[in-house]
Amino acid sequence: MIKLIEQERELDRELLLKTLSGRKMLAYMKAYGAGYEFCRFYKITDETGVGFMFIINSTLIICGDGNLGATEEIDLFVSMNLPFRIEGDQKILKGIKLPERYQELNRTVFELVADCGPLKATEAHVNLDPNLPEVYRILSEGFPNISDFSLWYTDTSHRCRHGISRVFTYRDSTTASAVFDIENVVLIGQVATDTAARGRGYAREFLRWLARFFNNLGKRAYLLALDVRVSFYREIGFREVETEIVLERIDVEKESTKKGRLADEQ
């Protein structure tokens, strides 16, 4: 059975804290609650187990207790909503009976390991409270499928005000965000450098600084990388935690804003 969640207490916090996907669900619940149409939460119950789903615009995240597998109801939910992307519990994702319009993509989870070597980046180069329209300008050069400015700005500023997210820039040319910071676990995403500054190594320098920054705060930081970016993060020295699949539609143009929010992975 799939039931719409109306209150935060209906979520199983202990279960969701076990995964990055679950923490993202908790972060958005803290930021928005359960009263918005574009941000909906569901509980899944079955004789085999229990789980939760979270759909934000056109991304569906599914978390399970390890026992729950794909069900006919989940298959039907996907067919009815046709999200652009589906991610989360690998057992469930691999069992979903997908329409032909979906493909599997490989993604690697990296932990940002702080090294002890000298850093080119210093806090003097980092803006801890940047101008969000300028951040959007940088992102839009790197991500043509980014949501329109009003949607991105409203969501980003809202999450920052609620202490869920944080946005940084480096040398006024590179940006990265803490998509969520939940109980000392941080997910880094939306990393981009503007066109004029590419090739200078700014992203590499900045990410090494962020690894040190969060480590000094007693937090563990992670990021998600599709195959095209895996070698870059390996070269920096970040630790590969696991690989997973995400499901993505192939019948939506890459430049279409209907894809939903900017993806976290690079």
Side-chain angles (χ1 to χ4, degrees), residues 64-180:
D65 62 358
N67 297 313
L68 181 70
T71 67
E72 291 184 4
E73 284 192 310
I74 294 175
D75 291 342
L76 180 60
F77 186 92
V78 169
S79 297
M80 291 178 62
N81 289 275
L82 291 176
F84 177 78
R85 171 169 292 177
I86 309 170
E87 57 185 71
D89 188 293
Q90 296 294 284
K91 179 180 179 181
I92 296 174
L93 261 63
K94 291 175 180 178
I96 295 175
K97 296 178 181 177
L98 290 169
E100 293 183 357
R101 66 186 71 190
Y102 283 90
Q103 64 178 336
E104 288 188 6
L105 298 176
N106 295 313
R107 187 167 73 180
T108 302
V109 180
F110 282 91
E111 182 177 2
L112 278 66
V113 178
D115 61 44
C116 299
L119 297 177
K120 289 185 179 181
T122 68
E123 189 164 328
H125 299 131
V126 179
N127 190 335
L128 302 175
D129 186 23
N131 176 268
L132 289 183
E134 179 61 16
V135 171
Y136 184 84
R137 181 194 65 78
I138 297 172
L139 287 171
S140 63
E141 293 187 19
F143 297 93
N145 61 306
I146 188 173
S147 303
D148 63 65
F149 174 74
S150 60
L151 177 61
W152 177 88
Y153 181 84
T154 300
D155 176 53
T156 301
S157 59
H158 183 89
R159 287 185 287 112
C160 288
R161 286 196 306 273
H162 282 76
I164 296 301
S165 299
R166 191 169 181 180
V167 181
F168 306 83
T169 56
Y170 175 64
R171 294 185 180 275
D172 299 321
S173 301
T174 299
T175 185
S177 296
V179 179
F180 65 72

Side-chain angles (χ1 to χ4, degrees), residues 233-244:
Y233 296 118
R234 285 174 178 164
E235 290 170 4
I236 295 177
F238 294 160
R239 183 175 71 88
E240 295 180 56
V241 177
E242 62 180 338
T243 58
E244 59 185 14

Side-chain angles (χ1 to χ4, degrees), residues 5-13 29 34 43 52:
I5 287 176
E6 298 179 346
Q7 299 183 52
E8 182 176 357
R9 61 181 174 81
E10 297 178 64
L11 293 176
D12 184 336
R13 186 175 181 84
M29 174 62 84
K43 183 175 183 179
F52 298 89

